Amino acid sequence: MNKEQNDILILGTGYFAEVILMDLAVATRAPIKIVIGGRNEARLKWLALACNSRAAQHGNPVRFHSSYVDMASEQSMADALGNWDPGVVVQSASLQSPWSLDGKGSEWAKLMEEAGFGLAVAFQSILPMRTSAALDAVGSKAAFVNTAYPDVVNQILAARGQRITCGVGNVAIFSSILAGALAPADAERLRVIAHHHALVQWRYPVDERVGDPVRAWIGDDEIPNVKARFSHIQLPHRELNLISGGSAVPVLLSLAGVGDSRGHVPGPHGLPGGYPVWVTKGDVRLDLPTTISKDEAVSWNRSFEAVDGVSVSEDGHVDYSERARVAVARYSQEIAKGFHVRDLVAAQGALAELRAKLGG
């Protein structure tokens, strides 16, 4: 099999991956190869067929292929990486989808609602951990993009000494919706800092939101009171993928070498929360306004970790919020203590046992 430059390998065939893929089919004007990896071969074939059809409809030279990849096996992922030699690898699957909890009355779903989604961070981290390990195992130089709770998971990967380039979505949802509400000249110069917690707050009516968890600048001039200026905007839940998935397209294409771009990503190189970045082939770098330092931006994003449900300390310990600790302690005092990043596999196993016991 020929190994070409600018390949993108997207691992996962769920809803979020589908949105990214369909938008890539419409937006990609370069003759690159995009590979879809997963275990459901019928789904893989359909996604490749649909994406190639959409690309052809728009006269785009991008082409999509499918590849069987068992993400439970580092060897299977290593084989796929060796076969396709991608320039960008995207991990879009996780072991706990937020959508799987919708409308469920199980004890596990109730615990997750009470504790917050941060309780599932070990589930979110396992597949990115395996993918990053597989990249190193085959000596791949690919940029690695994790879409599973990247505001926190990327910190865990970095604390473990594993490779991570960035995430997609989250902060980019805010940069997109704010840009869409601004004049085009201002939208081009928009810079936004936001933590995952802002997604929770902006689902409420504006008078029920706590604080103002989104900061935005036009150029180097900060927009005062973002919450009030954009009070007409209230976010849905599952439908956010239509914005979040689309925001991944320019980032992935630039990482693959199809032109540099400005964008917004969560967890760049393992930082907490989301930031404006400059995206070039294989890497991202911060593109902050001159009026805020990197340390200030990081500190501001960290201030929302407790209310989001989970945080990662400098020494690599993962701590749940007080609300989460109290909720999960009714079932397991040990899980409530959190875990060190080196013990991620054991932490995920303990959480999986609890989920099975509670009917998740």
Side-chain angles (χ1 to χ4, degrees), residues 13-47:
T13 59
Y15 176 46
F16 189 54
E18 178 182 338
V19 174
I20 294 174
L21 288 162
M22 295 302 170
D23 282 355
L24 280 167
V26 172
T28 306
R29 306 283 190 261
I32 67 171
K33 179 173 61 185
I34 297 175
V35 182
I36 312 162
R39 292 189 298 182
N40 186 332
E41 295 191 73
R43 173 75 168 160
L44 286 169
K45 290 178 181 178
W46 164 245
L47 286 174

PDB file of all heavy atoms in Angstrom, residues 13-47:
ATOM      1  N   THR A  13     -16.595   5.619  14.819  1.00  0.00           N
ATOM      2  CA  THR A  13     -17.647   5.727  13.798  1.00  0.00           C
ATOM      3  C   THR A  13     -18.951   6.263  14.374  1.00  0.00           C
ATOM      4  O   THR A  13     -20.011   6.060  13.797  1.00  0.00           O
ATOM      5  CB  THR A  13     -17.898   4.355  13.152  1.00  0.00           C
ATOM      6  OG1 THR A  13     -18.303   3.418  14.175  1.00  0.00           O
ATOM      7  CG2 THR A  13     -16.656   3.831  12.455  1.00  0.00           C
ATOM      8  N   GLY A  14     -18.873   6.935  15.532  1.00  0.00           N
ATOM      9  CA  GLY A  14     -20.070   7.454  16.168  1.00  0.00           C
ATOM     10  C   GLY A  14     -20.558   8.761  15.562  1.00  0.00           C
ATOM     11  O   GLY A  14     -20.066   9.221  14.521  1.00  0.00           O
ATOM     12  N   TYR A  15     -21.498   9.369  16.250  1.00  0.00           N
ATOM     13  CA  TYR A  15     -22.156  10.572  15.744  1.00  0.00           C
ATOM     14  C   TYR A  15     -21.173  11.719  15.539  1.00  0.00           C
ATOM     15  O   TYR A  15     -21.191  12.408  14.515  1.00  0.00           O
ATOM     16  CB  TYR A  15     -23.267  10.970  16.712  1.00  0.00           C
ATOM     17  CG  TYR A  15     -23.980  12.259  16.384  1.00  0.00           C
ATOM     18  CD1 TYR A  15     -24.403  12.544  15.087  1.00  0.00           C
ATOM     19  CD2 TYR A  15     -24.265  13.183  17.387  1.00  0.00           C
ATOM     20  CE1 TYR A  15     -25.071  13.724  14.799  1.00  0.00           C
ATOM     21  CE2 TYR A  15     -24.926  14.362  17.096  1.00  0.00           C
ATOM     22  CZ  TYR A  15     -25.324  14.627  15.807  1.00  0.00           C
ATOM     23  OH  TYR A  15     -25.975  15.797  15.519  1.00  0.00           O
ATOM     24  N   PHE A  16     -20.287  11.929  16.508  1.00  0.00           N
ATOM     25  CA  PHE A  16     -19.351  13.040  16.390  1.00  0.00           C
ATOM     26  C   PHE A  16     -18.399  12.822  15.224  1.00  0.00           C
ATOM     27  O   PHE A  16     -18.124  13.736  14.437  1.00  0.00           O
ATOM     28  CB  PHE A  16     -18.567  13.203  17.696  1.00  0.00           C
ATOM     29  CG  PHE A  16     -17.730  14.452  17.743  1.00  0.00           C
ATOM     30  CD1 PHE A  16     -18.285  15.701  17.511  1.00  0.00           C
ATOM     31  CD2 PHE A  16     -16.378  14.390  18.032  1.00  0.00           C
ATOM     32  CE1 PHE A  16     -17.521  16.861  17.557  1.00  0.00           C
ATOM     33  CE2 PHE A  16     -15.604  15.543  18.088  1.00  0.00           C
ATOM     34  CZ  PHE A  16     -16.180  16.775  17.845  1.00  0.00           C
ATOM     35  N   ALA A  17     -17.888  11.594  15.087  1.00  0.00           N
ATOM     36  CA  ALA A  17     -17.015  11.287  13.954  1.00  0.00           C
ATOM     37  C   ALA A  17     -17.750  11.494  12.640  1.00  0.00           C
ATOM     38  O   ALA A  17     -17.178  12.014  11.668  1.00  0.00           O
ATOM     39  CB  ALA A  17     -16.514   9.850  14.055  1.00  0.00           C
ATOM     40  N   GLU A  18     -19.005  11.103  12.588  1.00  0.00           N
ATOM     41  CA  GLU A  18     -19.795  11.266  11.369  1.00  0.00           C
ATOM     42  C   GLU A  18     -19.894  12.729  10.956  1.00  0.00           C
ATOM     43  O   GLU A  18     -19.729  13.074   9.777  1.00  0.00           O
ATOM     44  CB  GLU A  18     -21.194  10.689  11.565  1.00  0.00           C
ATOM     45  CG  GLU A  18     -22.104  10.855  10.364  1.00  0.00           C
ATOM     46  CD  GLU A  18     -23.501  10.310  10.613  1.00  0.00           C
ATOM     47  OE1 GLU A  18     -23.671   9.455  11.498  1.00  0.00           O
ATOM     48  OE2 GLU A  18     -24.426  10.758   9.900  1.00  0.00           O
ATOM     49  N   VAL A  19     -20.155  13.612  11.916  1.00  0.00           N
ATOM     50  CA  VAL A  19     -20.260  15.037  11.596  1.00  0.00           C
ATOM     51  C   VAL A  19     -18.937  15.562  11.049  1.00  0.00           C
ATOM     52  O   VAL A  19     -18.897  16.287  10.042  1.00  0.00           O
ATOM     53  CB  VAL A  19     -20.701  15.838  12.838  1.00  0.00           C
ATOM     54  CG1 VAL A  19     -20.658  17.337  12.555  1.00  0.00           C
ATOM     55  CG2 VAL A  19     -22.103  15.441  13.266  1.00  0.00           C
ATOM     56  N   ILE A  20     -17.834  15.207  11.701  1.00  0.00           N
ATOM     57  CA  ILE A  20     -16.518  15.645  11.229  1.00  0.00           C
ATOM     58  C   ILE A  20     -16.278  15.157   9.806  1.00  0.00           C
ATOM     59  O   ILE A  20     -15.851  15.913   8.921  1.00  0.00           O
ATOM     60  CB  ILE A  20     -15.405  15.138  12.162  1.00  0.00           C
ATOM     61  CG1 ILE A  20     -15.509  15.774  13.548  1.00  0.00           C
ATOM     62  CG2 ILE A  20     -14.025  15.438  11.565  1.00  0.00           C
ATOM     63  CD1 ILE A  20     -14.525  15.214  14.557  1.00  0.00           C
ATOM     64  N   LEU A  21     -16.545  13.889   9.576  1.00  0.00           N
ATOM     65  CA  LEU A  21     -16.277  13.290   8.266  1.00  0.00           C
ATOM     66  C   LEU A  21     -17.105  13.935   7.169  1.00  0.00           C
ATOM     67  O   LEU A  21     -16.599  14.236   6.071  1.00  0.00           O
ATOM     68  CB  LEU A  21     -16.550  11.785   8.328  1.00  0.00           C
ATOM     69  CG  LEU A  21     -15.527  10.969   9.117  1.00  0.00           C
ATOM     70  CD1 LEU A  21     -16.096   9.604   9.479  1.00  0.00           C
ATOM     71  CD2 LEU A  21     -14.240  10.822   8.317  1.00  0.00           C
ATOM     72  N   MET A  22     -18.382  14.143   7.436  1.00  0.00           N
ATOM     73  CA  MET A  22     -19.249  14.725   6.413  1.00  0.00           C
ATOM     74  C   MET A  22     -18.825  16.158   6.089  1.00  0.00           C
ATOM     75  O   MET A  22     -18.855  16.581   4.920  1.00  0.00           O
ATOM     76  CB  MET A  22     -20.709  14.683   6.858  1.00  0.00           C
ATOM     77  CG  MET A  22     -21.267  13.282   7.020  1.00  0.00           C
ATOM     78  SD  MET A  22     -21.153  12.292   5.500  1.00  0.00           S
ATOM     79  CE  MET A  22     -21.585  10.672   6.133  1.00  0.00           C
ATOM     80  N   ASP A  23     -18.407  16.904   7.113  1.00  0.00           N
ATOM     81  CA  ASP A  23     -17.940  18.272   6.861  1.00  0.00           C
ATOM     82  C   ASP A  23     -16.599  18.264   6.126  1.00  0.00           C
ATOM     83  O   ASP A  23     -16.344  19.125   5.275  1.00  0.00           O
ATOM     84  CB  ASP A  23     -17.826  19.043   8.174  1.00  0.00           C
ATOM     85  CG  ASP A  23     -19.183  19.524   8.682  1.00  0.00           C
ATOM     86  OD1 ASP A  23     -20.185  19.326   7.961  1.00  0.00           O
ATOM     87  OD2 ASP A  23     -19.247  20.092   9.779  1.00  0.00           O
ATOM     88  N   LEU A  24     -15.741  17.309   6.435  1.00  0.00           N
ATOM     89  CA  LEU A  24     -14.486  17.189   5.696  1.00  0.00           C
ATOM     90  C   LEU A  24     -14.748  16.896   4.220  1.00  0.00           C
ATOM     91  O   LEU A  24     -14.059  17.414   3.336  1.00  0.00           O
ATOM     92  CB  LEU A  24     -13.623  16.077   6.295  1.00  0.00           C
ATOM     93  CG  LEU A  24     -12.825  16.420   7.552  1.00  0.00           C
ATOM     94  CD1 LEU A  24     -12.285  15.154   8.215  1.00  0.00           C
ATOM     95  CD2 LEU A  24     -11.682  17.385   7.237  1.00  0.00           C
ATOM     96  N   ALA A  25     -15.746  16.070   3.940  1.00  0.00           N
ATOM     97  CA  ALA A  25     -16.063  15.729   2.544  1.00  0.00           C
ATOM     98  C   ALA A  25     -16.462  16.959   1.750  1.00  0.00           C
ATOM     99  O   ALA A  25     -16.103  17.104   0.575  1.00  0.00           O
ATOM    100  CB  ALA A  25     -17.179  14.686   2.508  1.00  0.00           C
ATOM    101  N   VAL A  26     -17.181  17.867   2.402  1.00  0.00           N
ATOM    102  CA  VAL A  26     -17.664  19.069   1.719  1.00  0.00           C
ATOM    103  C   VAL A  26     -16.586  20.147   1.651  1.00  0.00           C
ATOM    104  O   VAL A  26     -16.493  20.878   0.653  1.00  0.00           O
ATOM    105  CB  VAL A  26     -18.914  19.615   2.441  1.00  0.00           C
ATOM    106  CG1 VAL A  26     -19.331  20.960   1.872  1.00  0.00           C
ATOM    107  CG2 VAL A  26     -20.064  18.622   2.334  1.00  0.00           C
ATOM    108  N   ALA A  27     -15.743  20.237   2.678  1.00  0.00           N
ATOM    109  CA  ALA A  27     -14.823  21.376   2.794  1.00  0.00           C
ATOM    110  C   ALA A  27     -13.429  21.133   2.232  1.00  0.00           C
ATOM    111  O   ALA A  27     -12.692  22.091   1.991  1.00  0.00           O
ATOM    112  CB  ALA A  27     -14.695  21.778   4.268  1.00  0.00           C
ATOM    113  N   THR A  28     -13.033  19.878   2.024  1.00  0.00           N
ATOM    114  CA  THR A  28     -11.641  19.585   1.660  1.00  0.00           C
ATOM    115  C   THR A  28     -11.419  19.715   0.161  1.00  0.00           C
ATOM    116  O   THR A  28     -11.930  18.915  -0.626  1.00  0.00           O
ATOM    117  CB  THR A  28     -11.241  18.172   2.131  1.00  0.00           C
ATOM    118  OG1 THR A  28     -11.501  18.055   3.527  1.00  0.00           O
ATOM    119  CG2 THR A  28      -9.765  17.934   1.866  1.00  0.00           C
ATOM    120  N   ARG A  29     -10.633  20.701  -0.210  1.00  0.00           N
ATOM    121  CA  ARG A  29     -10.346  20.960  -1.631  1.00  0.00           C
ATOM    122  C   ARG A  29      -9.024  20.336  -2.074  1.00  0.00           C
ATOM    123  O   ARG A  29      -8.657  20.416  -3.236  1.00  0.00           O
ATOM    124  CB  ARG A  29     -10.271  22.471  -1.880  1.00  0.00           C
ATOM    125  CG  ARG A  29     -11.502  23.242  -1.416  1.00  0.00           C
ATOM    126  CD  ARG A  29     -12.669  23.073  -2.376  1.00  0.00           C
ATOM    127  NE  ARG A  29     -13.753  23.986  -2.051  1.00  0.00           N
ATOM    128  CZ  ARG A  29     -14.832  23.632  -1.353  1.00  0.00           C
ATOM    129  NH1 ARG A  29     -14.952  22.392  -0.920  1.00  0.00           N
ATOM    130  NH2 ARG A  29     -15.779  24.506  -1.096  1.00  0.00           N
ATOM    131  N   ALA A  30      -8.311  19.707  -1.150  1.00  0.00           N
ATOM    132  CA  ALA A  30      -6.990  19.139  -1.458  1.00  0.00           C
ATOM    133  C   ALA A  30      -7.115  17.637  -1.740  1.00  0.00           C
ATOM    134  O   ALA A  30      -7.988  16.956  -1.180  1.00  0.00           O
ATOM    135  CB  ALA A  30      -6.043  19.368  -0.295  1.00  0.00           C
ATOM    136  N   PRO A  31      -6.230  17.087  -2.562  1.00  0.00           N
ATOM    137  CA  PRO A  31      -6.280  15.659  -2.912  1.00  0.00           C
ATOM    138  C   PRO A  31      -5.641  14.786  -1.840  1.00  0.00           C
ATOM    139  O   PRO A  31      -4.610  14.133  -2.060  1.00  0.00           O
ATOM    140  CB  PRO A  31      -5.498  15.608  -4.225  1.00  0.00           C
ATOM    141  CG  PRO A  31      -4.497  16.697  -4.089  1.00  0.00           C
ATOM    142  CD  PRO A  31      -5.190  17.803  -3.332  1.00  0.00           C
ATOM    143  N   ILE A  32      -6.246  14.776  -0.669  1.00  0.00           N
ATOM    144  CA  ILE A  32      -5.685  13.987   0.426  1.00  0.00           C
ATOM    145  C   ILE A  32      -6.526  12.735   0.654  1.00  0.00           C
ATOM    146  O   ILE A  32      -7.618  12.583   0.118  1.00  0.00           O
ATOM    147  CB  ILE A  32      -5.571  14.815   1.723  1.00  0.00           C
ATOM    148  CG1 ILE A  32      -6.953  15.167   2.261  1.00  0.00           C
ATOM    149  CG2 ILE A  32      -4.725  16.049   1.506  1.00  0.00           C
ATOM    150  CD1 ILE A  32      -6.917  15.782   3.647  1.00  0.00           C
ATOM    151  N   LYS A  33      -5.985  11.853   1.479  1.00  0.00           N
ATOM    152  CA  LYS A  33      -6.644  10.591   1.806  1.00  0.00           C
ATOM    153  C   LYS A  33      -7.042  10.621   3.284  1.00  0.00           C
ATOM    154  O   LYS A  33      -6.209  10.904   4.149  1.00  0.00           O
ATOM    155  CB  LYS A  33      -5.698   9.439   1.527  1.00  0.00           C
ATOM    156  CG  LYS A  33      -6.259   8.055   1.850  1.00  0.00           C
ATOM    157  CD  LYS A  33      -5.319   6.972   1.372  1.00  0.00           C
ATOM    158  CE  LYS A  33      -3.975   7.045   2.039  1.00  0.00           C
ATOM    159  NZ  LYS A  33      -3.020   6.063   1.505  1.00  0.00           N
ATOM    160  N   ILE A  34      -8.305  10.322   3.554  1.00  0.00           N
ATOM    161  CA  ILE A  34      -8.813  10.277   4.920  1.00  0.00           C
ATOM    162  C   ILE A  34      -9.295   8.854   5.193  1.00  0.00           C
ATOM    163  O   ILE A  34     -10.096   8.299   4.431  1.00  0.00           O
ATOM    164  CB  ILE A  34      -9.946  11.291   5.137  1.00  0.00           C
ATOM    165  CG1 ILE A  34      -9.409  12.718   4.937  1.00  0.00           C
ATOM    166  CG2 ILE A  34     -10.549  11.132   6.537  1.00  0.00           C
ATOM    167  CD1 ILE A  34     -10.455  13.800   5.007  1.00  0.00           C
ATOM    168  N   VAL A  35      -8.791   8.261   6.264  1.00  0.00           N
ATOM    169  CA  VAL A  35      -9.106   6.879   6.602  1.00  0.00           C
ATOM    170  C   VAL A  35      -9.996   6.859   7.839  1.00  0.00           C
ATOM    171  O   VAL A  35      -9.744   7.571   8.813  1.00  0.00           O
ATOM    172  CB  VAL A  35      -7.817   6.076   6.869  1.00  0.00           C
ATOM    173  CG1 VAL A  35      -8.149   4.621   7.182  1.00  0.00           C
ATOM    174  CG2 VAL A  35      -6.881   6.171   5.673  1.00  0.00           C
ATOM    175  N   ILE A  36     -11.042   6.044   7.793  1.00  0.00           N
ATOM    176  CA  ILE A  36     -11.969   5.884   8.915  1.00  0.00           C
ATOM    177  C   ILE A  36     -11.703   4.526   9.540  1.00  0.00           C
ATOM    178  O   ILE A  36     -11.785   3.495   8.864  1.00  0.00           O
ATOM    179  CB  ILE A  36     -13.432   5.965   8.447  1.00  0.00           C
ATOM    180  CG1 ILE A  36     -13.645   7.177   7.539  1.00  0.00           C
ATOM    181  CG2 ILE A  36     -14.370   6.021   9.654  1.00  0.00           C
ATOM    182  CD1 ILE A  36     -14.907   7.088   6.698  1.00  0.00           C
ATOM    183  N   GLY A  37     -11.375   4.496  10.835  1.00  0.00           N
ATOM    184  CA  GLY A  37     -11.038   3.251  11.498  1.00  0.00           C
ATOM    185  C   GLY A  37     -12.022   2.888  12.588  1.00  0.00           C
ATOM    186  O   GLY A  37     -12.482   3.746  13.343  1.00  0.00           O
ATOM    187  N   GLY A  38     -12.364   1.604  12.678  1.00  0.00           N
ATOM    188  CA  GLY A  38     -13.266   1.120  13.706  1.00  0.00           C
ATOM    189  C   GLY A  38     -13.535  -0.359  13.532  1.00  0.00           C
ATOM    190  O   GLY A  38     -12.965  -1.014  12.651  1.00  0.00           O
ATOM    191  N   ARG A  39     -14.434  -0.911  14.381  1.00  0.00           N
ATOM    192  CA  ARG A  39     -14.705  -2.351  14.347  1.00  0.00           C
ATOM    193  C   ARG A  39     -15.958  -2.716  13.557  1.00  0.00           C
ATOM    194  O   ARG A  39     -16.090  -3.846  13.104  1.00  0.00           O
ATOM    195  CB  ARG A  39     -14.844  -2.884  15.773  1.00  0.00           C
ATOM    196  CG  ARG A  39     -13.541  -2.854  16.563  1.00  0.00           C
ATOM    197  CD  ARG A  39     -13.657  -3.592  17.874  1.00  0.00           C
ATOM    198  NE  ARG A  39     -14.648  -3.009  18.765  1.00  0.00           N
ATOM    199  CZ  ARG A  39     -14.915  -3.451  19.984  1.00  0.00           C
ATOM    200  NH1 ARG A  39     -14.268  -4.512  20.453  1.00  0.00           N
ATOM    201  NH2 ARG A  39     -15.814  -2.862  20.740  1.00  0.00           N
ATOM    202  N   ASN A  40     -16.889  -1.775  13.430  1.00  0.00           N
ATOM    203  CA  ASN A  40     -18.150  -2.047  12.736  1.00  0.00           C
ATOM    204  C   ASN A  40     -17.932  -1.888  11.237  1.00  0.00           C
ATOM    205  O   ASN A  40     -17.985  -0.790  10.702  1.00  0.00           O
ATOM    206  CB  ASN A  40     -19.233  -1.090  13.242  1.00  0.00           C
ATOM    207  CG  ASN A  40     -20.604  -1.410  12.678  1.00  0.00           C
ATOM    208  OD1 ASN A  40     -20.740  -1.947  11.583  1.00  0.00           O
ATOM    209  ND2 ASN A  40     -21.637  -1.060  13.433  1.00  0.00           N
ATOM    210  N   GLU A  41     -17.685  -3.012  10.550  1.00  0.00           N
ATOM    211  CA  GLU A  41     -17.282  -2.934   9.155  1.00  0.00           C
ATOM    212  C   GLU A  41     -18.393  -2.417   8.247  1.00  0.00           C
ATOM    213  O   GLU A  41     -18.122  -1.699   7.279  1.00  0.00           O
ATOM    214  CB  GLU A  41     -16.779  -4.303   8.692  1.00  0.00           C
ATOM    215  CG  GLU A  41     -15.508  -4.722   9.429  1.00  0.00           C
ATOM    216  CD  GLU A  41     -14.838  -5.938   8.827  1.00  0.00           C
ATOM    217  OE1 GLU A  41     -14.234  -5.793   7.747  1.00  0.00           O
ATOM    218  OE2 GLU A  41     -14.934  -7.013   9.437  1.00  0.00           O
ATOM    219  N   ALA A  42     -19.644  -2.753   8.561  1.00  0.00           N
ATOM    220  CA  ALA A  42     -20.748  -2.238   7.753  1.00  0.00           C
ATOM    221  C   ALA A  42     -20.840  -0.726   7.888  1.00  0.00           C
ATOM    222  O   ALA A  42     -21.049  -0.006   6.894  1.00  0.00           O
ATOM    223  CB  ALA A  42     -22.062  -2.898   8.173  1.00  0.00           C
ATOM    224  N   ARG A  43     -20.703  -0.225   9.102  1.00  0.00           N
ATOM    225  CA  ARG A  43     -20.725   1.214   9.349  1.00  0.00           C
ATOM    226  C   ARG A  43     -19.539   1.906   8.672  1.00  0.00           C
ATOM    227  O   ARG A  43     -19.679   2.981   8.075  1.00  0.00           O
ATOM    228  CB  ARG A  43     -20.694   1.456  10.857  1.00  0.00           C
ATOM    229  CG  ARG A  43     -20.550   2.897  11.309  1.00  0.00           C
ATOM    230  CD  ARG A  43     -21.807   3.675  11.147  1.00  0.00           C
ATOM    231  NE  ARG A  43     -21.712   4.960  11.850  1.00  0.00           N
ATOM    232  CZ  ARG A  43     -22.467   5.998  11.601  1.00  0.00           C
ATOM    233  NH1 ARG A  43     -23.407   5.933  10.668  1.00  0.00           N
ATOM    234  NH2 ARG A  43     -22.317   7.120  12.274  1.00  0.00           N
ATOM    235  N   LEU A  44     -18.361   1.289   8.747  1.00  0.00           N
ATOM    236  CA  LEU A  44     -17.171   1.841   8.105  1.00  0.00           C
ATOM    237  C   LEU A  44     -17.377   2.005   6.600  1.00  0.00           C
ATOM    238  O   LEU A  44     -17.082   3.060   6.023  1.00  0.00           O
ATOM    239  CB  LEU A  44     -15.967   0.927   8.346  1.00  0.00           C
ATOM    240  CG  LEU A  44     -15.345   0.935   9.743  1.00  0.00           C
ATOM    241  CD1 LEU A  44     -14.351  -0.215   9.868  1.00  0.00           C
ATOM    242  CD2 LEU A  44     -14.670   2.266  10.032  1.00  0.00           C
ATOM    243  N   LYS A  45     -17.888   0.948   5.968  1.00  0.00           N
ATOM    244  CA  LYS A  45     -18.086   0.994   4.525  1.00  0.00           C
ATOM    245  C   LYS A  45     -19.106   2.058   4.142  1.00  0.00           C
ATOM    246  O   LYS A  45     -18.948   2.761   3.135  1.00  0.00           O
ATOM    247  CB  LYS A  45     -18.518  -0.382   4.016  1.00  0.00           C
ATOM    248  CG  LYS A  45     -17.418  -1.425   4.080  1.00  0.00           C
ATOM    249  CD  LYS A  45     -17.911  -2.789   3.609  1.00  0.00           C
ATOM    250  CE  LYS A  45     -16.809  -3.829   3.690  1.00  0.00           C
ATOM    251  NZ  LYS A  45     -17.286  -5.180   3.274  1.00  0.00           N
ATOM    252  N   TRP A  46     -20.161   2.179   4.945  1.00  0.00           N
ATOM    253  CA  TRP A  46     -21.177   3.176   4.637  1.00  0.00           C
ATOM    254  C   TRP A  46     -20.619   4.597   4.770  1.00  0.00           C
ATOM    255  O   TRP A  46     -20.847   5.448   3.901  1.00  0.00           O
ATOM    256  CB  TRP A  46     -22.399   3.017   5.528  1.00  0.00           C
ATOM    257  CG  TRP A  46     -23.272   4.235   5.512  1.00  0.00           C
ATOM    258  CD1 TRP A  46     -23.546   5.073   6.548  1.00  0.00           C
ATOM    259  CD2 TRP A  46     -23.946   4.791   4.369  1.00  0.00           C
ATOM    260  NE1 TRP A  46     -24.353   6.104   6.143  1.00  0.00           N
ATOM    261  CE2 TRP A  46     -24.618   5.956   4.798  1.00  0.00           C
ATOM    262  CE3 TRP A  46     -24.040   4.407   3.036  1.00  0.00           C
ATOM    263  CZ2 TRP A  46     -25.366   6.759   3.942  1.00  0.00           C
ATOM    264  CZ3 TRP A  46     -24.797   5.199   2.173  1.00  0.00           C
ATOM    265  CH2 TRP A  46     -25.452   6.353   2.631  1.00  0.00           C
ATOM    266  N   LEU A  47     -19.883   4.868   5.834  1.00  0.00           N
ATOM    267  CA  LEU A  47     -19.340   6.205   6.023  1.00  0.00           C
ATOM    268  C   LEU A  47     -18.387   6.570   4.888  1.00  0.00           C
ATOM    269  O   LEU A  47     -18.414   7.696   4.382  1.00  0.00           O
ATOM    270  CB  LEU A  47     -18.625   6.305   7.371  1.00  0.00           C
ATOM    271  CG  LEU A  47     -19.523   6.366   8.613  1.00  0.00           C
ATOM    272  CD1 LEU A  47     -18.674   6.308   9.885  1.00  0.00           C
ATOM    273  CD2 LEU A  47     -20.390   7.617   8.612  1.00  0.00           C
TER     274      LEU A  47
END
